[in-house]
Amino acid sequence: MIGRLNHVAIAVPDLEAAMTQYRNALGANVGAPQDEPDHGVRVVFIELPNTKIELLYPLGEASPINGFLQKNPAGGIHHICYEVEDIAAAAKQLTGTGARVLGDGTPKIGAHGKPVLFLHPKDFNGCLIELEEI
Ligand code: CO
């Protein structure tokens, strides 16, 4: 069911420092910051030849990234995103196996304007998984 790795999202405590590090130390193609108020994040996309990295920085007090950075002050991998062709069918298959879809279980429009859903990390080896319909 899952296809390509769409992105790895890394929560960072200092967005400017992380951008500079990826640009200068790792020689990556680092985009401009974009605010996603609906998701409570400021995002920087880094294009790699085979996937993307997303640097996530909290936007606002209610940002879900605040709690993550409290637990992981140095930052860390926040989630990974796999592509699926049919997100409704994916949700049905997953819940049929007992996996928990976060929220009310229905896909939402994600940071890239495509339908996404998130799977409970406790059901997937401690890893928050995002599925994105491509
Ligand atoms: Co994501």
Side-chain angles (χ1 to χ4, degrees):
M1 175 175 74
I2 60 170
R4 287 163 35 104
L5 175 66
N6 185 274
H7 61 271
V8 176
I10 303 174
V12 302
D14 183 335
L15 189 57
E16 282 296 325
M19 290 170 69
T20 300
Q21 184 181 53
Y22 267 83
R23 188 184 295 116
N24 295 352
L26 293 173
N29 183 12
V30 177
Q34 299 174 28
D35 286 357
E36 305 275 357
D38 291 351
H39 300 277
V41 291
R42 179 168 290 160
V43 187
V44 169
F45 296 99
I46 298 170
E47 294 282 345
L48 304 184
N50 61 344
T51 189
K52 291 180 292 243
I53 302 295
E54 288 183 13
L55 304 179
L56 294 178
Y57 185 78
L59 185 67
E61 291 296 311
S63 171
I65 306 303
N66 284 324
F68 184 91
L69 287 174
Q70 270 159 24
K71 280 183 243 156
N72 307 276
I77 293 179
H78 183 266
H79 65 268
I80 57 176
C81 177
Y82 301 124
E83 297 179 357
V84 295
E85 284 183 7
D86 182 339
I87 203 156
K92 197 170 168 206
Q93 179 174 332
L94 282 154
T95 51
T97 68
R100 288 168 287 179
V101 175
L102 297 188
D104 64 9
T106 59
K108 300 281 184 302
I109 297 303
H112 311 127
K114 306 229 175 81
V116 301
L117 55 78
F118 286 89
L119 303 172
H120 202 298
K122 290 205 168 111
D123 295 340
F124 288 93
N125 312 290
C127 185
L128 178 60
I129 292 176
E130 177 179 23
L131 297 181
E132 182 171 298
E133 185 170 275
I134 294 297

